[in-house]
Amino acid sequence: EQLPALRLLNMSYNKFEGMPQCVGKMTSLTDLQFGFNALGFLPVSINFLTNLTRLRLPSNKLGFIPAEIGTCTALTELSLTDNKLEVLPVELGNLRQMKNLYIEGNVLRSPPTEVIEQGPHMVMTYLLRMFEARTTLSL
């Protein structure tokens, strides 16, 4: 609220275990960097950051990414390298502007290894198909 026009926030190389709640109120952010911390989770308030184009969260302790990430439709770059992720949410498939997805160094079970081995573009295609299938089933 006090920084309504802030566009870039770099909180990398600290010892954050959680993202401060105020970050979800910084709706003008286009670039959010929280790499090399100890984040164990990403707050669902990420859904308010609809102007984000770059989200960098490498080298944390993230065990999951909330489905709300799917509302950040302006994202073109997402770095989740070297975390503890086992599953990427299908809602990532809704991020159709995504150009750079970095997921190396996780223990992913989903998407399947054979999809991941084909590269980030195929991962996004897989997630989009799963997202659309889930959306169709819920209608």
Side-chain angles (χ1 to χ4, degrees):
E1 280 181 313
Q2 296 173 352
L3 301 168
L6 188 67
R7 301 256 189 260
L8 171 107
L9 180 61
N10 187 340
M11 301 298 284
S12 298
Y13 296 97
N14 287 287
K15 295 180 180 175
F16 287 107
E17 293 180 4
M19 194 175 287
Q21 287 292 62
C22 62
V23 172
K25 296 177 182 175
M26 298 177 182
T27 56
S28 293
L29 282 177
T30 59
D31 190 337
L32 179 58
Q33 301 180 32
F34 262 86
F36 303 90
N37 281 292
L39 296 181
F41 65 94
L42 191 60
V44 295
S45 61
I46 194 78
N47 70 323
F48 295 118
L49 304 181
T50 56
N51 291 310
L52 272 185
T53 57
R54 183 186 314 177
L55 179 57
R56 291 184 175 174
L57 303 167
S59 298
N60 277 289
K61 297 179 179 178
L62 295 171
F64 74 97
I65 300 296
E68 287 78 4
I69 192 81
T71 62
C72 299
T73 56
L75 271 178
T76 60
E77 179 180 329
L78 177 59
S79 177
L80 300 169
T81 307
D82 297 324
N83 277 284
K84 298 179 183 287
L85 298 172
E86 294 183 26
V87 175
L88 293 179
V90 297
E91 289 79 6
L92 283 176
N94 194 40
L95 307 180
R96 297 167 198 230
Q97 303 299 316
M98 186 67 65
K99 291 179 177 51
N100 299 301
L101 175 65
Y102 304 100
I103 55 173
E104 301 83 5
N106 286 287
V107 289
L108 291 168
R109 293 181 289 110
S110 179
T113 303
E114 53 271 16
V115 173
I116 294 169
E117 288 173 346
Q118 294 179 56
H121 177 73
M122 190 55 69
V123 169
M124 290 303 295
T125 300
Y126 173 87
L127 292 170
L128 174 60
R129 288 182 184 149
M130 295 297 109
F131 176 73
E132 288 176 340
R134 181 179 286 178
T135 304
T136 303
L137 289 174
S138 66
L139 296 177

